């Protein structure tokens, strides 16, 4: 019997350091996520702040960034950490993606030295949680239409608008907020305790229930000039942050899929119908084999993108290829694994339905599948079909 991810001995493509790093994340997930995550999911409450500090201790927050207390690991190692975290739960990986690849990356890439010194070491340690507000109630796939705006008042800025579906918002100390100013779109670092900020938790989620999601309302929030991210000019600034986070998802989705497949293999080996294990039926094996193929292919794709990233050559449309394929296939794997467990497939006793429900969010955020098809279509044809 061969481990699903080891069918092609793909881990032999990793360095000893990369394998050791992945193993350390897997241990953290085994010790601190797996025993509790079903309960977090059912209650819709995860101890995000405590978890952030544990993740910070292992260097997993802003892991791929350098300086300011960040671990500075390779893109491949960062991707492997996303895979292991999402094998626990997509909500835990989302916490890490939003903290490291969106909020911290925006400050690291576009912030002033003062902003970096002030925020990044505490964020890397998990002592301050950040969020990233791009989406608005009326502007999701088309953020260029955003209506959140900041106007000058002397040297200060006054920020007004609403951001929606913001991961970490209910537990965050700061938000990187994208807003329209006279010159175009720019970013601000907004401490959420400022007067005029309201944070509303979004309840009733059927997906990513172990992740905190919120609405942020800004009503003439006064910010000093130093709150603006000086290097962030135009929509390409937040889009470059999204490319970072999407790269993590390319790997992360494989973790959810691996956990589903491992669960299904174990279950079908032990469950007997018609006098033999379900795993011994040809139809079961056809499903398992096809899922293992997609998992291996997705892993090769993620690793290829990771090696390109480490060589400084990764292009946004290549990340779109990875996100589109790996999330779509992970969701298909989760759904097929669900069938293999029969009625138990819908039970919270097993992780499959939780992963499947989570992956519905992962399919939508950081660019929907359709948006990534349009990105790839534009690259192939030279024609934009967005509008
Ligand atoms: C759990 C969760 C967490 C999130 N966290 C964050 C966060 O931290 N920060 C943040 O800023 N946002 C976050 N989001 C928001 C997410 O990025 C948006 O939901 C996403 O961009 C899609 O926007 P929308 O929901 O408004 O859908 P819409 O843009 O209204 O799209 C609805 C449907 O129409 C399709 N569509 C749209 N335009 C086109 C087109 N031109 N051609 C064809 N089809 C099209 C879409 O693909 C989709 O299928 C989160 C979302 C979820 C669910």
């Amino acid at each position: 019997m061969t481990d699903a991810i080891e069918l092609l001995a793909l881990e032999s493509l990793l360095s000893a350091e990369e394998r050791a790093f992945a193993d350390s994340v897997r241990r953290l997930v085994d010790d601190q996520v797996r025993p509790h995550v079903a309960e977090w999911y059912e209650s819709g409450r995860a101890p995000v702040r405590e978890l952030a500090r544990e993740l910070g201790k292992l260097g997993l927050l802003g892991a791929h960034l350098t300086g300011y207390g960040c671990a500075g690991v390779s893109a491949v190692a960062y991707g492997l950490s996303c895979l292991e975290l999402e094998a626990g739960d997509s909500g835990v990986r989302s916490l890490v993606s939003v903290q490291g690849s969106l909020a911290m990356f925006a400050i690291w890439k576009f912030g002033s030295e003062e902003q970096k010194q002030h925020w990044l070491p505490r964020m890397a340690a998990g002592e301050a949680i950040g969020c990233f507000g791009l989406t608005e109630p009326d502007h999701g796939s088309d953020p260029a239409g955003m209506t959140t705006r900041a106007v000058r008042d002397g040297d200060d800025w006054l920020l007004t608008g609403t951001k929606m579906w913001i991961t970490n918002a209910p537990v965050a100390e700061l938000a990187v907020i994208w807003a329209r100013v006279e010159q175009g779109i720019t970013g601000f670092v907004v401490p959420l305790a400022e007067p005029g900020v309201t944070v509303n938790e979004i309840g009733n989620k059927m997906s990513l229930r172990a992740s905190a999601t919120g609405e942020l309302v800004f009503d003439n929030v006064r910010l000093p000039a130093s709150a603006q991210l000086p290097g962030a000019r135009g929509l390409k600034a937040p889009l470059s942050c999204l490319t970072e986070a999407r790269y993590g998802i390319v790997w992360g989705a494989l973790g959810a899929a691996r956990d589903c497949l491992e669960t299904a293999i174990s279950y079908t080996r032990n469950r007997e119908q018609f006098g033999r294990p379900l795993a011994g039926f040809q139809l079961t094996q056809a499903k398992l084999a096809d899922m293992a193929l997609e998992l291996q292919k997705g892993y090769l794709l993620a690793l290829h993108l990771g090696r390109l990233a480490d060589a400084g050559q990764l292009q946004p449309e290549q990340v779109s290829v990875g996100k589109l394929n790996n999330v779509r296939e992970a969701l298909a794997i989760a759904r097929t694994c669900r069938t293999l467990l029969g009625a138990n497939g819908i039970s919270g006793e097993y992780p499959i339905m939780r992963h499947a429900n989570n992956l519905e969010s992962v399919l939508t955020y950081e660019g929907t599948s359709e948006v990534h098809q349009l990105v790839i279509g534009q690259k192939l044809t030279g024609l934009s079909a967005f509008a």
Side-chain angles (χ1 to χ4, degrees), residues 141 246 323-324 363-373:
S141 299
R246 286 167 183 161
K323 202 238 173 194
L324 175 62
L363 194 71
T364 286
Y365 69 23
E366 308 282 354
T368 64
S369 290
E370 293 79 7
V371 162
H372 291 297
Q373 286 174 317

Side-chain angles (χ1 to χ4, degrees), residues 259-269 288 337 340-341 352:
D259 199 49
C260 290
L261 186 52
E262 285 177 354
T263 303
I265 291 171
S266 160
Y267 185 91
T268 55
R269 281 173 55 80
L288 295 175
C337 288
L340 287 173
L341 269 71
I352 293 177

Side-chain angles (χ1 to χ4, degrees), residues 297-347:
K297 288 192 278 184
Y299 194 97
L300 282 169
L301 174 55
L303 189 56
H304 174 60
L305 297 183
R307 298 290 183 225
L308 285 177
D310 280 326
Q313 292 172 358
L314 185 62
Q315 300 302 314
E317 65 275 5
Q318 296 171 331
V319 180
S320 287
V321 172
K323 202 238 173 194
L324 175 62
N325 184 77
N326 285 10
V327 180
R328 197 162 60 182
E329 294 306 327
L331 191 51
I333 287 173
R335 288 173 179 156
T336 303
C337 288
R338 216 287 305 150
T339 68
L340 287 173
L341 269 71
N344 276 329
I346 69 148
S347 167

Side-chain angles (χ1 to χ4, degrees), residues 193-252:
E194 289 296 315
V197 179
T198 308
V199 183
N200 300 312
E201 179 149 16
I202 297 177
N204 208 20
K205 284 185 302 172
M206 300 293 144
S207 171
L208 277 193
R209 290 178 54 78
S211 167
T213 317
E215 176 195 47
L216 293 171
V217 183
F218 305 99
D219 181 10
N220 267 315
V221 177
R222 182 171 294 279
L223 299 170
S226 61
Q228 188 183 359
L229 292 171
R233 293 196 195 90
L235 194 59
K236 64 180 189 314
L239 295 185
S240 71
C241 303
L242 292 177
T243 300
E244 293 288 305
R246 286 167 183 161
Y247 166 74
I249 293 174
V250 174
W251 285 93

Side-chain angles (χ1 to χ4, degrees), residues 279 281-293 336 340:
F281 294 115
Q282 290 181 356
L283 289 175
T284 304
Q285 291 195 3
K287 287 181 183 180
L288 295 175
D290 285 350
M291 290 190 287
L293 295 191
T336 303
L340 287 173

Side-chain angles (χ1 to χ4, degrees), residues 18 88 97 110 119 156 204 229 306 356 362 381 384:
E18 288 164 345
S97 291
F110 302 115
W119 290 113
D156 291 350
N204 208 20
L229 292 171
V362 181
T381 65
S384 167

